Amino acid sequence: MSYDYDALVLKISESRRSAVSAQGDAKISFLQQSVDTFEELSTACPMTPMLWMQYSADMEELLVLLTSDPRGARDAQLQLLELAICEFPGSSCLHLRYLTVLSKHDDSKRFLKAIRTAIENVGMGSHRNEGEIVAVIYDMGADYHAKNEDFELAIQTYYERARIPMRDVNDGLEAEFQEFLNRHGKQATADHMQSLEDSRRYEAKAYRSLVTYEDEVDMTMHKQGILSRYQVRFDEINWDALLRSDEKSFWMGLGDTNTASSFIRYAKLCSRFRTPVDHAEEMKDLECNVKALALRVYERGVAECPTVESIWLAYISHMFRLAKEDKTILPRVKAVADRSVRNCPYSLSLFQRKLQIIQLMAANKMAIMDPDEVMKTISDALSAKFLTSKESCLELYLTGVRILRRHILVSLAQASQTANESKDTIFYDKAEPISQHKQHPPIDDEKAVELGDLVVDIREMYDEIESYVQKRFPSWSTGRSHLCVDRSFAEMYLLTPLVESLNEADSNRFSDAQSKVIRCFDKATKLVQPPSPSSFISYIDAFFANFVVSGPVLVLSRIQQIRQLYIKAIKNVGPPKEDWKTSIDYGVSLQFLCHRYLEFEENLGSVDSLEDASTTVQRKLAKLKTGRSGITPIPALTATVDTSLVSIKSEENGPMNVENRARKRSGEEVLNETNAAKKIKFEDGSKQPLQSTDIEKTTKITDLRVPKQILEKAKVGNLLYPAHPFTIRISNLTESTEDMDLVDALRKSCGAIVHARILREKHRGGSGKSKGCGLVQFEQKASVERALEVSEVLQIHENRVRIERSHVAAVSLVPPGMHRVNPKGKGKTSRKNEKRSEQRRAKQQTASSVGHASKDEKSEVSVLAFRPRGVAKPLNQK
């Protein structure tokens, strides 16, 4: 259901504000109204950390007034805070508030568990710039151990704190440590101080590369006004005053896309971290520790930006990669996906990820594939009425159908395993070489019944989707057409062959005549090297038509062998060496082959196989677009193929647009339109449409158009300017960086440099203070692209620099036309001025010709004939 978040929060603020000044029954009434509104809001959407803390505080105050039982009221408050920590485990303020309330309870085991949970989630280095909160949590742990007379653990707690980055909080750690020991009647030894210093040195070496990204998070949050560090003193925090105020902007989940992007970059750096070679021996565990920080950084990010889709997508994609190596974290991935759709109910991509996790858990036997659960997830997403577009609704339904189709393929892969194959890893999306004699084990009756039920469920889902689209969008013929195409593909490749084979005995998959046809096509693709894409397309069609599915397992076998043909085709095809009887252009046929391959993987492959297919197709088409194959691609078909390239790795990319896919034309239509559009020039100069019989008469295709070159842009503030083709701008430089430092850092990896200079402030006595940025101009344009690839990777004086395009040159004296895209005098402003000058000259010439003699009629011109500006006639005339 939809709800008005701002109206509910405003109602809560008014009730809490009235409860502060009220007394007796009026105070209870206002608190009850506040608690009821909190409950209404929590059922509609997950609340932010600040709202959870206010909710728990109001509940505790209300129960004290109603029951006069402070301990019971505090238990209710702790239960609410535990729910909040489950929702946002990366929020340091929630952990600190929970420990503060729990410290008033006489429950030492529960307090110790809470301390360990807080340190595990926020005290391992992911909250460097929130070091004040983390330090308080560590101090609570040390005091707890000292109170229980376990000083070894208390001292170890200080060692652990020294190894964690906390900005400048640990600068006075030695004095704090000595004060702690003196307060408990102990004396610091030289070994204690040396161990503390060694831990500080470890922190300085280990985490210095993360400082830039942590500071970037700090900067974006400070710009948005949601940074708590400058507004709260955590060493002497007044929780009552803090939670009573409704004017706070921090801890309210108000982070925008810029804040989310800074968290994503920070987490990706942690996941790609490698231990420096010079510190490999002394810091063996560093790489694992820093990589583990990625999950904590994501949790911290979603606590600050819970309604931003991109950070949830990046978080889930990262956990998908971890789940490939460790399947036991799949339940945790599912929990994150559940939280993501609660916080972002408008996101189609997040609901699709949730459905994918359901299928992965079923494939790894961690859950049972229940079609009702899939349909419930879809109906819950649509009933919330946040997915309003017709394309999103249809795409979500089709994602559910694909999940069930993939589960059928997983079941067939499990049934096809022999006794020698591993039972832990099931690859239904692998490619299988073409073979006529491989024997597959028969499937049992229970598996056959399960497969039959899944086929029935999928067909019922298609019927339900069709009735939904027809009822909800009665005039949307494009969507219904796309649904019919998707269903036809599933029936042709999977559902119908599976149903027909369930009651038939397993036999030879090819007859002699069919085997002969397959051998002929296989021979056709081997005789000419490189083979043409059209020959492989015919080969795949013939293989599908002549493959006899005589058993359920062979349904999967046929799909895997067709996948092998597609992989082989994309790898081996190339431009023809001879033009004899080449009726179809190579570029068109290659793009048609790529389109069919992607469509095949989207319908019958997994997320990984679709990702691999997209990468392979992009690399193949890149050769076509860059002209390495000698063929110019047809822009219309290139655009059609590119719409189907689904990148799972890119978190910013949304799902494939249903409208675009529904508008795709068949390959034959594209080929016919392309051939009809081409013209050939005969000797008499006339032009005729290109026919299949006129191929040998063709001399040269004259209408191959080169796509218009797209100029790169450089952003300055909120404006975009044409980028200089040879110059880059480098920022985040230290004040001590000189011009030659830029040359030394970039010349070896990027190419020859014309000029490099640091931008400095104006100073009358000489060079001023560095602005922290500079310009580098290369000799070649390719050097600029190579430099952009090392942005935020290259280090200059221990700072990771940011590299971007520049709209100005690094050197002022350059060849004409090189320092700007349009040379001076040829820009828009220059053309306007020239036009105005011509109009002005024309007016002056017309005015001078009226009432005056022409130059031919005048014998001479006196100086007195010229009159001052603004005087209508000579002064001597009246």
Side-chain angles (χ1 to χ4, degrees):
M1 65 176 183
S2 59
Y3 56 92
D4 191 344
Y5 176 83
D6 294 332
L8 292 175
V9 172
L10 180 61
K11 184 177 179 181
I12 290 172
S13 300
E14 293 175 351
S15 302
R16 301 183 77 250
R17 195 178 298 114
S18 301
V20 173
S21 57
Q23 298 291 332
D25 294 340
K27 187 180 186 68
I28 294 176
S29 176
F30 285 123
L31 286 173
Q32 185 66 55
Q33 185 179 358
S34 173
V35 169
D36 292 342
T37 311
F38 271 121
E39 291 178 355
E40 181 182 356
L41 180 62
S42 63
T43 56
C45 72
M47 297 192 298
T48 63
M50 176 62 79
L51 291 178
W52 274 112
M53 290 188 291
Q54 291 176 342
Y55 182 20
S56 63
D58 288 358
M59 177 66 76
E60 190 261 349
E61 187 176 3
L62 177 63
L63 292 178
V64 168
L65 293 175
L66 291 177
T67 63
S68 300
D69 182 10
R71 185 175 182 84
R74 197 175 298 119
D75 284 334
Q77 183 181 14
L78 290 172
Q79 290 176 5
L80 290 176
L81 290 174
E82 288 171 357
L83 292 176
I85 291 176
C86 290
E87 189 67 37
F88 299 112
S91 176
S92 57
C93 64
L94 281 176
H95 287 283
L96 181 58
R97 175 60 177 166
Y98 180 69
L99 289 170
T100 303
V101 176
L102 188 59
S103 62
K104 302 175 184 179
H105 247 42
D106 189 14
D107 192 344
S108 58
K109 292 183 178 180
R110 189 176 180 185
F111 186 80
L112 179 59
K113 182 179 179 181
I115 287 285
R116 292 174 177 173
T117 302
I119 292 177
E120 176 66 25
N121 285 286
V122 303
M124 302 301 292
S126 57
H127 293 61
R128 173 184 176 271
N129 285 353
E130 293 184 357
E132 294 89 349
I133 301 178
V134 179
V136 173
I137 294 174
Y138 271 99
D139 290 344
M140 285 183 173
D143 291 337
Y144 170 82
H145 293 306
K147 182 179 178 181
N148 290 274
E149 298 183 354
D150 194 346
F151 286 98
E152 289 297 328
L153 286 178
I155 294 173
Q156 189 65 32
T157 302
Y158 273 93
Y159 294 162
E160 292 176 1
R161 173 183 164 181
R163 292 168 64 90
I164 301 302
M166 294 187 186
R167 212 163 186 266
D168 53 356
V169 178
N170 280 344
D171 290 348
L173 185 60
E174 290 83 356
E176 291 183 30
F177 180 61
Q178 290 181 348
E179 181 184 355
F180 169 79
L181 292 179
N182 293 334
R183 190 167 64 247
H184 293 89
K186 301 292 181 179
Q187 187 69 30
T189 64
D191 293 338
H192 290 159
M193 303 307 295
Q194 183 62 39
S195 300
L196 204 64
E197 181 63 22
D198 292 343
S199 300
R200 291 289 308 278
R201 290 179 180 177
Y202 175 89
E203 181 270 329
K205 291 180 181 179
Y207 298 98
R208 61 185 178 183
S209 61
L210 309 180
V211 173
T212 302
Y213 291 85
E214 179 75 35
D215 290 341
E216 182 183 358
V217 170
D218 224 34
M219 180 181 64
T220 53
M221 293 177 64
H222 182 59
K223 285 182 178 180
Q224 200 179 349
I226 61 175
L227 189 64
S228 62
R229 184 156 52 87
Y230 299 119
Q231 306 180 50
V232 181
R233 292 194 60 181
F234 295 100
D235 53 349
E236 48 185 23
I237 186 171
N238 186 349
W239 285 104
D240 293 335
L242 180 64
L243 298 180
R244 191 174 293 118
S245 174
D246 295 322
E247 305 298 329
K248 306 298 183 183
S249 59
F250 52 86
W251 303 339
M252 285 295 293
L254 299 178
D256 58 7
T257 54
N258 293 328
T259 303
S261 299
S262 62
F263 275 112
I264 293 173
R265 286 191 289 270
Y266 186 13
K268 287 184 176 180
L269 173 71
C270 294
S271 64
R272 298 193 299 261
F273 182 82
R274 296 292 184 273
T275 303
V277 179
D278 52 342
H279 302 312
E281 290 298 328
E282 55 182 325
M283 296 185 292
K284 295 180 180 180
D285 58 341
L286 174 62
E287 185 172 327
C288 295
N289 293 340
V290 175
K291 285 185 176 182
L293 288 184
L295 294 176
R296 300 182 179 95
V297 171
Y298 276 123
E299 284 292 353
R300 179 186 170 193
V302 299
E304 297 290 349
C305 317
T307 59
V308 180
E309 175 191 33
S310 59
I311 191 168
W312 286 107
L313 289 173
Y315 187 13
I316 294 174
S317 298
H318 176 70
M319 298 196 75
F320 267 138
R321 290 190 289 270
L322 296 179
K324 292 181 180 179
E325 301 176 359
D326 184 10
K327 303 296 183 181
T328 58
I329 70 170
L330 280 174
R332 184 178 175 184
V333 182
K334 186 177 184 300
V336 173
D338 292 338
R339 290 163 51 203
S340 69
V341 297
R342 287 200 303 269
N343 284 277
C344 302
Y346 62 87
S347 173
L348 170 63
S349 301
L350 290 176
F351 278 107
Q352 290 178 316
R353 298 296 188 274
K354 183 177 179 179
L355 292 174
Q356 292 171 5
I357 295 169
I358 293 175
Q359 188 267 325
L360 283 176
M361 294 187 66
N364 289 276
K365 300 181 180 180
M366 295 183 179
I368 299 175
M369 174 56 71
D370 187 2
D372 294 335
E373 180 183 1
V374 175
M375 290 302 298
K376 184 179 183 302
T377 302
I378 297 173
S379 61
D380 290 344
L382 299 180
S383 62
K385 298 182 180 180
F386 286 99
L387 296 175
T388 56
S389 67
K390 52 190 177 184
E391 294 85 3
S392 299
C393 296
L394 179 57
E395 186 64 28
L396 184 59
Y397 266 118
L398 292 181
T399 302
V401 174
R402 294 188 195 109
I403 293 301
L404 296 181
R405 293 206 302 253
R406 290 172 183 171
H407 187 67
I408 290 179
L409 296 175
V410 170
S411 300
L412 292 175
Q414 293 172 345
S416 64
Q417 283 184 318
T418 61
N420 296 329
E421 292 177 332
S422 172
K423 299 292 183 182
D424 297 331
T425 304
I426 306 297
F427 295 106
Y428 71 92
D429 56 348
K430 67 179 181 180
E432 178 181 311
I434 298 177
S435 173
Q436 301 182 32
H437 306 291
K438 184 177 178 180
Q439 298 295 326
H440 293 283
I443 63 174
D444 54 18
D445 296 338
E446 183 179 356
K447 181 68 70 173
V449 172
E450 178 186 353
L451 293 174
D453 292 341
L454 285 173
V455 172
V456 173
D457 291 332
I458 290 176
R459 288 174 172 172
E460 289 178 352
M461 283 185 66
Y462 274 120
D463 294 335
E464 183 175 347
I465 297 171
E466 186 174 3
S467 61
Y468 172 83
V469 173
Q470 190 171 2
K471 181 180 179 180
R472 180 86 182 274
F473 313 107
S475 60
W476 191 30
S477 58
T478 305
R480 295 175 62 188
S481 173
H482 176 70
L483 176 62
C484 292
V485 171
D486 191 277
R487 182 169 188 171
S488 300
F489 199 99
E491 290 285 354
M492 178 178 65
Y493 275 94
L494 183 62
L495 302 182
T496 301
L498 182 60
V499 171
E500 292 177 352
S501 63
L502 283 174
N503 298 323
E504 297 180 4
D506 195 359
S507 61
N508 190 16
R509 68 188 71 175
F510 294 119
S511 65
D512 293 339
Q514 292 167 339
S515 299
K516 186 176 182 180
V517 172
I518 298 301
R519 286 196 299 269
C520 289
F521 275 105
D522 184 66
K523 185 177 181 180
T525 59
K526 294 179 179 178
L527 288 176
V528 179
Q529 294 297 327
S532 66
S534 57
S535 62
F536 264 105
I537 293 173
S538 302
Y539 186 8
I540 293 171
D541 292 339
F543 182 86
F544 175 78
N546 289 277
F547 190 105
V548 178
V549 178
S550 55
V553 176
L554 293 181
V555 176
L556 175 64
S557 181
R558 177 172 67 176
I559 292 173
Q560 292 177 335
Q561 294 186 31
I562 291 176
R563 178 178 289 111
Q564 174 66 22
L565 288 178
Y566 274 118
I567 295 174
K568 182 179 179 181
I570 299 296
K571 179 180 179 180
N572 295 327
V573 296
K577 297 180 180 179
E578 299 180 4
D579 295 335
W580 182 71
K581 289 189 176 182
T582 307
S583 59
I584 300 179
D585 182 80
Y586 167 71
V588 176
S589 58
L590 174 61
Q591 293 172 74
F592 180 45
L593 175 65
C594 294
H595 166 72
R596 287 188 51 173
Y597 180 31
L598 291 172
E599 186 179 36
F600 175 85
E601 289 296 347
E602 183 185 357
N603 285 277
L604 299 171
S606 63
V607 175
D608 294 335
S609 65
L610 179 58
E611 178 182 326
D612 295 339
S614 300
T615 303
T616 304
V617 167
Q618 286 175 340
R619 291 175 179 173
K620 194 71 175 182
L621 293 180
K623 299 179 181 179
L624 188 68
K625 294 177 182 178
T626 55
R628 275 186 256 171
S629 59
I631 306 295
T632 303
I634 306 302
L637 187 56
T638 304
T640 304
V641 173
D642 288 344
T643 59
S644 64
L645 297 180
V646 181
S647 177
I648 305 300
K649 291 182 179 179
S650 178
E651 294 74 13
E652 287 77 7
N653 290 347
M656 194 185 310
N657 189 290
V658 179
E659 192 76 20
N660 290 340
R661 293 192 311 181
R663 287 199 298 265
K664 289 179 183 176
R665 301 166 291 175
S666 64
E668 290 76 5
E669 293 174 349
V670 174
L671 299 180
N672 294 336
E673 291 179 14
T674 305
N675 287 333
K678 293 182 179 180
K679 306 289 183 178
I680 57 175
K681 183 178 291 186
F682 296 96
E683 295 180 358
D684 58 356
S686 62
K687 294 182 179 180
Q688 298 292 336
L690 179 64
Q691 305 294 336
S692 59
T693 57
D694 297 328
I695 296 300
E696 297 180 0
K697 302 178 183 179
T698 304
T699 57
K700 183 179 181 181
I701 299 176
T702 60
D703 69 336
L704 290 178
R705 297 180 297 274
V706 178
K708 183 178 179 181
Q709 183 180 5
I710 300 176
L711 299 177
E712 298 291 344
K713 300 289 185 179
K715 188 173 183 180
V716 181
N718 294 327
L719 301 178
L720 293 176
Y721 293 91
H724 187 271
F726 299 90
T727 307
I728 60 172
R729 185 179 186 274
I730 305 179
S731 56
N732 196 33
L733 300 174
T734 61
E735 292 184 4
S736 60
T737 304
E738 299 294 338
D739 297 347
M740 287 306 298
D741 294 332
L742 303 181
V743 176
D744 296 336
L746 292 171
R747 179 169 54 189
K748 184 176 180 180
S749 59
C750 300
I753 296 176
V754 174
H755 187 67
R757 63 188 177 98
I758 301 294
L759 300 182
R760 301 182 181 275
E761 298 177 354
K762 293 183 179 180
H763 192 269
R764 182 173 298 177
S767 60
K769 182 180 178 182
S770 171
K771 294 182 178 181
C773 57
L775 300 176
V776 177
Q777 184 169 332
F778 295 96
E779 290 186 358
Q780 299 179 353
K781 296 181 180 180
S783 300
V784 174
E785 305 300 330
R786 288 194 290 268
L788 293 174
E789 293 177 356
V790 297
S791 177
E792 299 181 348
V793 176
L794 180 67
Q795 287 190 358
I796 300 179
H797 288 185
E798 298 183 356
N799 270 18
R800 290 184 182 271
V801 298
R802 179 175 297 175
I803 301 176
E804 52 194 354
R805 300 183 188 274
S806 172
H807 70 294
V808 295
V811 60
S812 57
L813 298 178
V814 294
M818 184 175 177
H819 66 287
R820 58 175 71 198
V821 177
N822 291 324
K824 190 172 182 179
K826 296 184 180 181
K828 182 187 294 185
T829 304
S830 300
R831 292 196 298 270
K832 287 182 178 179
N833 293 338
E834 182 65 25
K835 187 176 181 180
R836 291 172 183 170
S837 300
E838 291 177 0
Q839 293 175 353
R840 192 180 302 113
R841 286 194 294 268
K843 289 181 180 180
Q844 292 176 355
Q845 184 177 1
T846 303
S848 62
S849 63
V850 177
H852 297 280
S854 63
K855 292 183 180 180
D856 296 336
E857 297 175 345
K858 292 184 178 182
S859 57
E860 60 179 347
V861 178
S862 173
V863 177
L864 298 177
F866 295 97
R867 57 182 180 272
R869 181 178 299 175
V871 178
K873 55 184 177 180
L875 297 177
N876 58 355
Q877 297 181 11
K878 296 183 180 179

